[in-house]
Amino acid sequence: MDFFLTLLVKGLTLGCIYALVALGFVLIYKATSVINFAVGEMMMLAATIAAVMVISYGLPLGGSIAVTLVIMALFGILLERVVLRPMIGRPVIGMIMATLGLGIFLRGVVNITWGVETKAIDLLLPRQPLSVGSVSVAPLDLAGVGITLFLVALFSYFFQRMRQGIAVRAVSDDQQAAMAMGIRLPTVFALMWMIAGLTSVAGGLVWGAKIGVDQYLSLLGLKVFPVVILGGLDSIAGAIIGGLVVGATENLTAGYFDPHVGGGLKDFVPFVLMMAVLVVRPYGLFGREIIERV
Amino acid sequence: MINRECGIFKTTYQADMALYTVPLARITVAGFLAFFALILPFILDVKHLVWANLVGINLVAALGLNLLVGFAGQISVGHAAFMAVGGYTAAIMTSRADMPFWVGLVGGGVFAAFYGLLVGLPSVRVKGFYLAIATLAAQFITEWTVNHVRWIGGKGFQASIIVPPAKLGGLVLDTEREKYFLILAIAIVATVALLNIARTRLGRAFVAIRDRDIAAEIMGVDIVRYKLLAFMISSFYAGVAGALWVYYLGNANIESFRIVESINFLAMVIIGGLGSVLGTIFGAAFVTILPLALEDILQNFKGVIPVSDIHSFVAHLRFAVFGGLIMLFLMVEPEGLNRLWRNIKDYFRVWPFPY
């Protein structure tokens, strides 16, 4: 039972931090219907900049985070303006391939500019795990969960209460109707990509501190897909629920069955789970159900 | 291909769909064939023969992907997984069951085709992004299975199987030049087959589904059947390419079939031109040769550029360049190199007259 609880709690915290990455994806999909295959690479870029600011330029952690936030916000806006705006109105397939291209472009550029060696980010958190009974949680994971919940609350407020957030929802509902109501689409798109850039900083910091900053960080972006498929592509609550389910499932199966099959189940089970969801309920648990004959 | 189409007016559909669009094309095609079969292998040194061989293998796989993405409009991010299935099937058939290599080649293709049918099943229910994700999942599931199922990957490092070289009759194909002829023959068959698929009922059904699936269904195209067929044919190509790769290298190794390779194939068909056979050839050659040539060139400037390890530098540069090119082509010229080539040709169509 102790083993089970430990695995479950670890899995749930892990899932929460997956949801942190998934948030950036869901926000973009919700607002602009762009499928962002480069979400992992954006996170890697953010984490690398934050790490380099501390290591090479000797900035304190706070300063480095501030600089990274500014850079990533600008990056998001630039990305929207240069790459994605010309793609508006093109088939979905083109959009997917463009973000795939962006992903490997970023991976190459980051590796060339800052090298491939693993860099460390120290978030100045205590290392001693917090224990409740037999279950212990690392402070870093706890911080990740905290940041995720904070961002979820923030985005929920943004989408439900704030003028700009409601405008974004209107755009995601029907772009032409939103334009007719006087909403400026370019502003909304730029705003959402900026927010996605900022979110990638949060994900990059937590994951970078957890597993180190190198190109493998970007592979986490692929873990996002089981999470968002399960939760529903355009649902923020879905992202977090999906994250929890995926995290718990993969940690439990890996804990119990990894020794029997030679490991690696963590990268396998989420995708099997996702295939099952795709066949049964492609729009996910909380996604908007769009009935379309295929 | 390179003939000027000036003054050629087609009056029948048959003429429009003919394999040789202009009478002169027969001669040009024969000339190209003679060049690739009789001249090129004897003027290239071993290093450049390796390049040519890699282009040939990648071309076979890329043709399959273009059939799926460019003609049928079904995106796949897991093309390398089909190659892996074909490669490992061929490796197991020849190394453990002692079958001749051509049985492994065809067997790899057929097995990959059925695997493609399986992976393509979601395409019946979902499309666009969801399909991309399903193929992504197939990629990871395949990688894991090959790596962890002992019977497939064996006990070797990184699930590798040593494969005996291809034998044709009594001839063992183990030098670069001998392999070149094998690869060339298969690449030609694959190219001609795709050209013919594109201009028959099958290809038109694919294009109809790509352009508007609902309209295609109304016109009597059985969507489920043709989508799955597209997946099967595409995976057959990938399987054959995977088997070729395995025989070429002499071992089957999962590292050759990672997701990065899948994205590489996507780069080939996008840069070359979606839905174009000639474009696929351009794309395969360009994407394969560019990093090799870059590394070659940079090696000459070893002391000049401030990079210590040129090999890994080029590996990263390759990502940056291809990623940038994918975005650039999608933004500026979605029809790829093929379109650029057509523009050049159109310019010279009535040259030197203005119109």
Side-chain angles (χ1 to χ4, degrees):
Chain A
M1 199 59 202
D2 272 357
F3 185 54
F4 175 78
L5 266 184
T6 311
L7 286 179
L8 185 67
V9 170
K10 260 225 164 73
L12 289 177
T13 48
L14 190 70
C16 242
I17 319 180
Y18 281 148
L20 190 55
V21 190
L23 269 180
F25 179 92
V26 169
L27 286 175
I28 287 300
Y29 184 77
K30 199 176 162 75
T32 67
S33 331
V34 171
I35 283 127
N36 188 3
F37 265 82
V39 68
E41 280 81 4
M42 280 173 69
M43 199 173 77
M44 175 184 72
L45 178 67
T48 312
I49 294 173
V52 167
M53 285 297 153
V54 174
I55 297 169
S56 308
Y57 297 94
L59 259 63
L61 183 68
S64 142
I65 293 177
V67 172
T68 314
L69 283 172
V70 172
I71 294 179
M72 287 311 290
L74 291 177
F75 175 79
I77 295 170
L78 194 74
L79 182 65
E80 195 274 331
R81 187 69 197 87
V82 176
V83 180
L84 292 149
R85 200 171 299 174
M87 301 288 298
I88 287 177
R90 297 273 184 79
V92 167
I93 254 187
M95 211 73 107
I96 292 174
M97 290 187 288
T99 54
L100 267 174
L102 173 71
I104 62 169
F105 174 72
L106 286 182
R107 207 181 301 177
V109 168
V110 167
N111 278 340
I112 289 173
T113 320
W114 291 294
V116 284
E117 62 278 3
T118 309
K119 299 162 211 58
I121 294 182
D122 189 1
L123 292 184
L124 308 175
L125 290 166
R127 297 195 190 286
Q128 194 65 39
L130 306 169
S131 323
V132 181
S134 58
V135 178
S136 61
V137 186
L140 177 64
D141 290 353
L142 219 54
V145 173
I147 293 174
T148 312
L149 294 178
F150 170 71
L151 283 181
V152 166
L154 192 69
F155 288 137
S156 302
Y157 181 78
F158 173 72
F159 279 120
Q160 298 301 329
R161 292 276 180 274
M162 280 167 72
R163 200 181 158 77
Q164 276 295 335
I166 295 168
V168 172
R169 270 169 52 212
V171 170
S172 81
D173 217 35
D174 186 331
Q175 296 194 349
Q176 278 191 337
M179 279 164 85
M181 301 306 287
I183 295 170
R184 285 173 197 274
L185 280 193
T187 321
V188 168
F189 286 174
L191 176 76
M192 288 319 285
W193 277 100
M194 191 186 88
I195 294 178
L198 295 176
T199 315
S200 71
V201 179
L205 285 174
V206 173
W207 275 107
K210 201 169 158 63
I211 62 173
V213 181
D214 55 18
Q215 54 178 338
Y216 295 104
L217 199 58
S218 64
L219 293 180
L220 276 168
L222 300 173
K223 268 286 175 58
V224 158
F225 295 112
V227 173
V228 295
I229 291 283
L230 194 66
L233 284 179
D234 51 4
S235 160
I236 289 178
I240 192 153
I241 307 270
L244 290 175
V245 174
V246 167
T249 317
E250 75 164 51
N251 220 28
L252 285 173
T253 43
Y256 281 108
F257 298 111
D258 249 0
H260 304 295
V261 295
L265 276 176
K266 265 185 188 304
D267 299 323
F268 175 67
V269 172
F271 286 97
V272 175
L273 187 69
M274 180 179 86
M275 283 301 256
V277 176
L278 270 183
V279 172
V280 182
R281 204 181 152 90
Y283 41 86
L285 295 176
F286 300 93
R288 193 160 21 152
E289 189 171 344
I290 300 168
I291 297 170
E292 184 177 27
R293 278 192 54 81
V294 184
Chain B
M1 210 170 357
I2 63 161
N3 303 292
R4 281 173 68 190
E5 285 155 353
C6 175
I8 310 277
F9 301 105
K10 292 160 186 159
T11 50
T12 59
Y13 285 114
Q14 275 76 17
D16 197 33
M17 291 189 304
L19 205 49
Y20 301 107
T21 47
V22 287
L24 193 64
R26 281 174 205 280
I27 299 167
T28 358
V29 169
F32 268 101
L33 281 185
F35 173 73
F36 281 119
L38 302 174
I39 300 176
L40 196 67
F42 299 102
I43 55 171
L44 291 182
D45 53 10
V46 173
K47 188 175 85 182
H48 294 97
L49 267 176
V50 172
W51 294 13
N53 285 341
L54 293 179
V55 170
I57 298 172
N58 283 339
L59 172 63
V60 176
L63 284 170
L65 187 64
N66 210 345
L67 176 101
L68 187 66
V69 183
F71 286 95
Q74 310 295 307
I75 191 165
S76 166
V77 200
H79 206 59
F82 302 128
M83 275 184 85
V85 171
Y88 274 91
T89 308
I92 289 169
M93 281 171 109
T94 30
S95 69
R96 293 190 204 153
D98 262 341
M99 293 185 195
F101 100 94
W102 57 269
V103 176
L105 200 66
V106 176
V110 170
F111 198 74
F114 281 102
Y115 190 70
L117 179 68
L118 194 71
V119 172
L121 276 178
S123 74
V124 175
R125 245 181 95 81
V126 296
K127 61 181 180 185
F129 163 67
Y130 290 103
L131 187 59
I133 290 300
T135 54
L136 183 76
Q139 170 81 40
F140 283 114
I141 291 172
T142 313
E143 276 183 24
W144 187 88
T145 311
V146 170
N147 249 335
H148 286 88
V149 176
R150 275 284 162 86
W151 188 83
I152 301 174
K155 299 181 182 69
F157 178 61
Q158 284 173 340
S160 60
I161 306 174
I162 304 292
V163 184
K167 277 195 215 86
L168 212 59
L171 184 68
V172 182
L173 305 175
D174 53 358
T175 66
E176 282 300 328
R177 189 165 295 142
E178 286 161 353
K179 288 175 186 169
Y180 174 86
F181 288 113
L182 172 70
I183 292 168
L184 177 71
I186 292 175
I188 289 173
V189 171
T191 310
V192 174
L194 186 57
L195 277 173
N196 279 329
I197 287 174
R199 65 199 191 99
T200 48
R201 186 187 169 82
L202 189 60
R204 288 194 297 274
F206 289 157
V207 172
I209 293 177
R210 175 194 69 190
D211 287 346
R212 181 60 94 185
D213 45 2
I214 296 171
E217 192 162 26
I218 290 168
M219 285 162 71
V221 176
D222 184 346
I223 292 200
V224 171
R225 186 167 147 231
Y226 280 104
K227 273 187 180 174
L228 292 180
L229 253 178
F231 265 97
M232 281 184 80
I233 300 174
S234 156
S235 330
F236 181 82
Y237 270 91
V240 170
L244 260 185
W245 176 251
V246 162
Y247 289 121
Y248 174 71
L249 222 60
N251 74 42
N253 188 319
I254 191 63
E255 285 304 316
S256 335
F257 307 117
R258 292 271 186 206
I259 182 155
V260 177
E261 298 305 318
S262 291
I263 296 176
N264 235 357
F265 288 122
L266 270 178
M268 283 177 209
V269 298
I270 295 169
I271 293 174
L274 288 167
S276 147
V277 175
L278 185 61
T280 317
I281 300 176
F282 289 150
F286 182 79
V287 170
T288 313
I289 291 179
L290 184 71
L292 297 168
L294 258 181
E295 184 169 350
D296 238 31
I297 294 167
L298 289 181
Q299 289 290 5
N300 295 334
F301 293 95
K302 211 164 186 162
V304 187
I305 47 170
V307 180
S308 52
D309 183 357
I310 289 180
H311 184 72
S312 76
F313 174 72
V314 169
H316 303 314
L317 190 65
R318 192 180 85 158
F319 279 141
V321 169
F322 288 154
L325 280 177
I326 289 179
M327 287 191 289
L328 193 70
F329 269 102
L330 283 171
M331 282 186 289
V332 183
E333 191 60 272
E335 288 174 63
L337 287 172
N338 180 52
R339 186 53 192 257
L340 293 180
W341 174 244
R342 279 226 315 268
N343 288 348
I344 297 171
K345 242 172 71 172
D346 282 346
Y347 176 80
F348 282 106
R349 182 183 290 252
V350 289
W351 187 85
F353 305 108
Y355 52 84

